[in-house]
Structures are given as C-alpha cells and as structure tokens.
C-alpha cells in the first residue's frame, strides 16, 4: 500500500519534470527561430563582398534576387577602410561569378538590403568566395547637394 | 585531403599576393591614364574646338576610347543570363548597337563637361581584375567619383564596367535589358536599340 503510493508520487513528479523539459525545449526552439540564429553554421553557405559604403546594412539584413529573399547578412566589418560584408546564402541558390551585389533602400528612407543581380557567366562562386562586382549604397543627400551646387 | 586546410592555405596565399601586387605594379592605372590623357588633350586642342571640326573630334575620341573599352565584355555582362541564349549572329548584331547606345549617351557627357583635371585616387588589383577610383573635376571644381573596372587580356587592361557616383553601368543596363526581354523578347530589345540609334 505504502509502496504503491510512492510509485504514484514518483510518476507525477516524472510527468511534471518531462513537461518542464518540453517547455524549455520549445522556448529554445522559439528563440532560435525568432532570432534567426543558426546553430552549427546553419544550412547556408557563405560568400563575401567588399563595398566602399555599406550604407548601414546590418547583421540579419535581407539578401534578395528579383525581390525574393535568398539569404541574410551574417557579418559586417571594416577591412582596409572598406566594408566587408559576409553573406549567408541558401544552399540551393547559385551566384554567378559576374553577379553584381548592390546595396539598396526599401522605399526612400526604409531599411537597407542587398540585391544581387545575377550574371551570365557559367562559373559560379564557391563557398567562401568573393562577389567581385559591387555597388555601394547611393548617398541621396550627397547627390542632391551636388546637383544643387552644380546649378548655382 | 583535408579540404578546409587546402582552402585556408589558398586563402593565405591569395592574401599575400594580393598585398604584394599593388606595390610594384600600377599597370592598369598607367594604361587608363594614357587613355584619359589622350582624350583630355583632344578636348583641349584649340584646332578641334570649332563646330565644323566637331565630327572629327568625336571620331578621334571614339577611337581612343575603343582601344581601352571592351565593348563585347560590357555587352555580355549587361545581357547576363540572356547572352548565352543568343546565336552568334544575334551577338554580332547586338554588340555594335550596344556600343552606339553608350557612345551616344557618353560622348555628349564628355564633350559637354569642361573637364579641368582627373585625379587618380586608388587602384586595387586582384589577379586579372582591377578597380581604379578616379575623381573627375568639372570647371566649377566639383569632384565626380568614377570607378573603372578593368580586366586583363594578354598584356592590356580593358574597361568592362564603370560607375559614376556609385551607380554602375552594367548593373543599370542589366536590369533594363532583363526587364525588356522578360516582358517581350530579345527582338524587341534590338528594335528599341535600333530606333534609338536612328534618332541620332
């Protein structure tokens, strides 16, 4: 009789423990998904590009081809006074050697993203490779000021 | 074979060479400077300034620019994915049309500006590719940033793309051509280019 009660108590404790564990696992999964974190490098591959002006592209900024998201910016840092941006691209997306990466703005003052215009070469950039052709973010303010001063 | 080690080794090697090359070279910059110097001397030539000589002046500038610009490479890159789908005849038809489009757009610009001077800002060489940053000063001393991208073929460097204030030529036409071909056809693009050159 006493032994049976002990078993029952033990079972309840086990069930509670399992529920808590499941809850923690769900939380972990959610935070990774929502934070777009990647464990163990994720499933994408990396390429990089050098820009004379990153225009404020950040980690997690979108990379698009024809408006379709194909990856995310993984890292942005300074190298030899140029912005070196590391892209993490979906494994099924192949980038030609003569593709052009340009930094664009959503709307007039929206967030920055990277657009890749595919090239025509039959050589593809391998993981860890470099997108040679880049276009920096266009500084509208600077352009307008140039236009203004040219007019005077 | 340990591939990561191999890739790392190649990367280190390319880094070392990448560092060393600009030190003793400057080849693409010298060649580009030669071209810009020639163009500037023609623009400054008082004998060629009169309107009656305008045609001769234009032809002489075009000839100099032709020697430094790789029109076919530019056309190939601008058509991008659509280039490989074209027949050799279509390619032969397209390149001169593309060239005349650019010439029409840019010789006006070149002749319209009274250029004071060109200063070479920096040069980056990476194997057979080079980027040269240039500031072109107008008569009002306004600097215009131009990036030339060059490709080495044999001993000579050829311009295959350039950007003005960060807006690239190939990327611009790549987007436009892609749109036209996607909406209608390559023949429509040829038709439009022909109509443009007939306007002249």
């Amino acid at each position: 009789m006493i032994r049976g009660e002990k078993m029952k108590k033990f079972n309840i404790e086990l069930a509670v423990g399992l529920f808590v564990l499941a809850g923690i696992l769900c939380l972990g999964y959610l935070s990774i998904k929502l934070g777009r974190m990647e464990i163990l490098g994720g499933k994408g591959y990396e390429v990089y590009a050098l820009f004379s002006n990153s225009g404020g592209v950040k980690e997690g900024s979108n990379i698009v081809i024809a408006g379709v998201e194909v990856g995310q910016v993984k890292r942005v840092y300074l190298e030899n006074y140029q912005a070196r941006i590391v892209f993490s691209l979906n494994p099924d997306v192949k980038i030609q050697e003569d593709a052009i990466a340009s930094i664009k703005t959503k709307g007039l003052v929206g967030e920055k993203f990277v657009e890749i215009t595919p090239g025509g070469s039959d050589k593809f950039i391998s993981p860890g490779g470099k997108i040679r052709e880049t276009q920096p973010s266009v500084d509208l303010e600077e352009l307008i000021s140039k236009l203004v001063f040219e007019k005077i | 074979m340990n591939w990561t080690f191999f890739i790392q080794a190649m990367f280190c090697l390319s880094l070392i060479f990448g560092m060393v090359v600009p030190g003793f070279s400057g080849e693409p910059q010298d060649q580009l400077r030669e071209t810009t110097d020639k163009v500037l001397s023609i623009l400054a030539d008082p004998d060629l300034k009169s309107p009656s000589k305008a045609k001769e002046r234009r032809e002489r500038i075009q000839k100099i620019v032709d020697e430094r610009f790789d029109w076919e490479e530019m056309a190939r890159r601008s058509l991008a994915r659509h280039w490989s789908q074209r027949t050799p005849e279509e390619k032969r038809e397209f390149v001169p049309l593309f060239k005349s489009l650019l010439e029409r757009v840019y010789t006006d610009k070149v002749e319209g500006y009274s250029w004071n001077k060109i200063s070479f800002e920096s040069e980056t060489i990476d194997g057979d590719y080079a980027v040269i940053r240039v500031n072109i000063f107008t008569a009002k001393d306004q600097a215009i940033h131009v990036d030339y991208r060059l490709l080495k073929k044999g001993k000579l460097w050829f311009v295959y793309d350039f950007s003005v204030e960060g807006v690239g030529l190939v990327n611009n036409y790549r987007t436009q051509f892609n749109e036209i071909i996607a909406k209608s056809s390559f023949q429509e693009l040829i038709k439009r280019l022909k109509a443009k050159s007939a306007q002249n």
Side-chain angles (χ1 to χ4, degrees), chain B residues 123-136:
Chain B
E123 177 186 39
T124 330
I125 304 172
D126 180 10
D128 282 346
Y129 293 87
V131 182
I132 297 176
R133 311 205 71 185
V134 164
N135 272 336
I136 298 176

Side-chain angles (χ1 to χ4, degrees), chain B residues 13-76:
Chain B
L13 274 179
S14 68
L15 257 186
I16 292 163
F17 279 107
M19 299 263 191
V20 170
V21 168
F24 62 82
S25 188
E27 213 178 40
Q29 183 170 324
D30 289 345
Q31 293 183 12
L32 186 66
R33 197 191 289 268
E34 207 186 297
T35 305
T36 52
D37 283 352
K38 276 189 202 163
V39 172
L40 283 185
S41 73
I42 287 179
L43 285 174
D45 193 342
D47 289 346
L48 294 169
K49 279 234 163 92
S50 63
S52 57
K53 292 266 177 112
K55 195 162 173 271
E56 190 196 332
R57 189 165 92 150
R58 183 169 282 208
E59 274 164 9
R60 281 175 67 174
I61 292 175
Q62 279 173 359
K63 206 171 149 249
I64 293 161
V65 173
D66 275 354
E67 283 167 10
R68 187 59 56 210
F69 280 59
D70 190 339
W71 300 110
E72 191 180 319
E73 183 71 24
M74 250 184 221
R76 190 178 70 74

Side-chain angles (χ1 to χ4, degrees), chain B residues 94-107:
Chain B
F94 179 76
V95 175
L97 279 173
F98 181 66
K99 184 186 153 190
S100 76
L101 170 79
L102 293 186
E103 274 175 353
R104 216 173 27 259
V105 174
Y106 291 100
T107 27

Side-chain angles (χ1 to χ4, degrees), chain A residues 1-55:
Chain A
M1 194 60 187
I2 295 170
R3 203 183 138 83
E5 246 171 46
K6 251 194 179 167
M7 275 288 274
K8 216 175 167 186
K9 207 175 166 194
F10 181 69
N11 275 344
I12 291 170
E13 276 171 1
L14 192 74
V16 169
L18 282 177
F19 262 109
V20 171
L21 203 68
I24 291 172
L25 282 179
C26 284
L27 267 180
Y29 174 77
L30 262 181
S31 61
I32 286 169
K33 267 285 154 189
L34 289 179
R36 282 181 173 162
M37 269 193 283
E38 282 169 357
I39 341 171
L40 301 171
K43 46 188 175 354
Y45 69 100
E46 281 181 19
V47 296
Y48 73 94
L50 291 170
F51 292 85
S52 59
N53 182 3
S54 81

Side-chain angles (χ1 to χ4, degrees), chain B residues 55-197:
Chain B
K55 195 162 173 271
E56 190 196 332
R57 189 165 92 150
R58 183 169 282 208
E59 274 164 9
R60 281 175 67 174
I61 292 175
Q62 279 173 359
K63 206 171 149 249
I64 293 161
V65 173
D66 275 354
E67 283 167 10
R68 187 59 56 210
F69 280 59
D70 190 339
W71 300 110
E72 191 180 319
E73 183 71 24
M74 250 184 221
R76 190 178 70 74
R77 282 171 184 263
S78 297
L79 272 186
R81 287 173 308 122
H82 304 288
W83 176 262
S84 55
Q85 294 160 17
R86 305 276 76 89
T87 63
E89 290 79 45
E90 284 175 322
K91 286 176 187 170
R92 264 198 297 278
E93 189 185 13
F94 179 76
V95 175
L97 279 173
F98 181 66
K99 184 186 153 190
S100 76
L101 170 79
L102 293 186
E103 274 175 353
R104 216 173 27 259
V105 174
Y106 291 100
T107 27
D108 281 352
K109 290 245 183 333
V110 167
E111 290 174 339
Y113 279 118
S114 44
W115 292 9
N116 261 357
K117 60 173 197 272
I118 295 176
S119 72
F120 285 77
E121 297 296 313
S122 72
E123 177 186 39
T124 330
I125 304 172
D126 180 10
D128 282 346
Y129 293 87
V131 182
I132 297 176
R133 311 205 71 185
V134 164
N135 272 336
I136 298 176
F137 292 92
T138 63
K140 293 188 185 91
D141 241 8
Q142 188 91 36
I144 302 168
H145 306 289
V146 180
D147 282 5
Y148 287 99
R149 290 174 178 271
L150 294 95
L151 181 63
K152 194 178 188 180
K153 285 195 173 163
K155 281 205 153 183
L156 292 172
W157 292 82
F158 293 98
V159 176
Y160 68 86
D161 189 8
F162 63 88
S163 60
V164 181
E165 294 289 345
V167 181
L169 171 123
V170 168
N171 201 22
N172 173 33
Y173 286 114
R174 188 180 281 180
T175 319
Q176 286 192 41
F177 291 167
N178 186 40
E179 235 165 69
I180 295 172
I181 294 173
K183 252 192 244 163
S184 38
S185 66
F186 180 73
Q187 278 64 39
E188 171 68 23
L189 176 63
I190 291 274
K191 217 172 88 189
R192 285 199 200 181
L193 286 176
K194 274 183 180 161
K196 278 253 173 193
S197 61

Side-chain angles (χ1 to χ4, degrees), chain A residues 56-113:
Chain A
V57 160
K58 286 192 287 286
E59 246 172 70
S61 293
N62 285 340
I63 298 165
V64 301
I65 294 178
V68 179
E69 195 184 322
V70 293
Q72 265 120 33
V73 170
K74 199 164 187 199
R75 226 153 87 84
V76 183
Y77 58 101
L78 203 61
E79 183 187 283
N80 201 11
Y81 298 104
Q82 282 187 306
R84 181 170 165 143
I85 301 184
V86 181
F87 301 166
S88 170
L89 297 169
N90 296 350
D92 50 336
V93 175
K94 287 202 174 82
I95 306 290
Q96 295 89 349
E97 191 201 39
D98 59 343
I100 301 174
S102 45
I103 292 173
K104 297 266 170 83
T105 314
K106 262 187 200 136
L108 213 59
V109 284
E111 61 175 303
K112 299 277 180 182
F113 63 99

